[in-house]
Amino acid sequence: QVQLVESGGGLVQAGGSLRLSCAASGRTFSSYAMGWFRQAPGKERMFVAAISSGGGNTYYANSVKGRITISRDNAKNTVYLQMNSLKPEDTAVYYCAAALTTVRTRLRTRPEEYDYWGQGTQVTVSS
């Protein structure tokens, strides 16, 4: 069982930056591939970024590529999402998710591939 707690959301002006954190419970964090998703009001939950359990592989949605960086610190059981050059269309609730894996390089981009979810953190970008 893994519990995920996101933090770092808030209100920021367009062009600004935020860093989201997702702290995981348990002693097997390094066995989980991690991902970030977001959901705007009235829309489906969308993939943002993913990182392999070993941290060596990452993958991004085209809409955020070049502006957002996912990283992890397995010693701290935490995954991060550094968001720069934010746009109003980035406004959403951001969720982190964990997927148990035995393949340290594997990435997952679909919500149904993940086993555990955090409660979400609101990011609002004003124009």
Side-chain angles (χ1 to χ4, degrees):
Q1 188 81 6
V2 173
Q3 291 185 325
L4 304 173
V5 179
E6 302 98 334
S7 62
L11 174 64
V12 64
Q13 288 188 333
S17 298
L18 282 174
R19 189 175 83 153
L20 306 183
S21 299
C22 174
S25 64
R27 292 182 288 180
T28 59
F29 180 69
S30 60
S31 298
Y32 288 85
M34 300 296 295
W36 285 95
F37 291 77
R38 66 187 183 188
Q39 188 167 18
K43 296 190 176 181
E44 294 182 350
R45 190 167 296 191
M46 302 294 293
F47 169 76
V48 176
I51 189 166
S52 59
S53 62
N57 287 1
T58 58
Y59 187 76
Y60 300 92
N62 287 335
S63 59
V64 304
K65 201 172 293 183
R67 300 188 296 118
I68 286 180
T69 302
I70 188 172
S71 62
R72 67 189 295 162
D73 185 339
N74 284 349
K76 295 183 178 179
N77 282 15
T78 302
V79 62
Y80 304 98
L81 193 71
Q82 178 66 45
M83 304 190 294
N84 301 323
S85 302
L86 283 163
K87 305 175 181 180
E89 51 262 44
D90 294 318
T91 295
V93 177
Y94 282 72
Y95 297 90
C96 72
L100 185 63
T101 180
T102 58
V103 181
R104 290 180 63 78
T105 56
R106 183 174 176 183
L107 296 164
R108 303 183 187 216
T109 62
R110 296 178 298 165
E112 58 267 30
E113 295 182 292
Y114 285 86
D115 304 305
Y116 302 101
W117 292 83
Q119 82 290 347
T121 186
Q122 176 71 46
V123 171
T124 303
V125 184
S126 63
S127 57

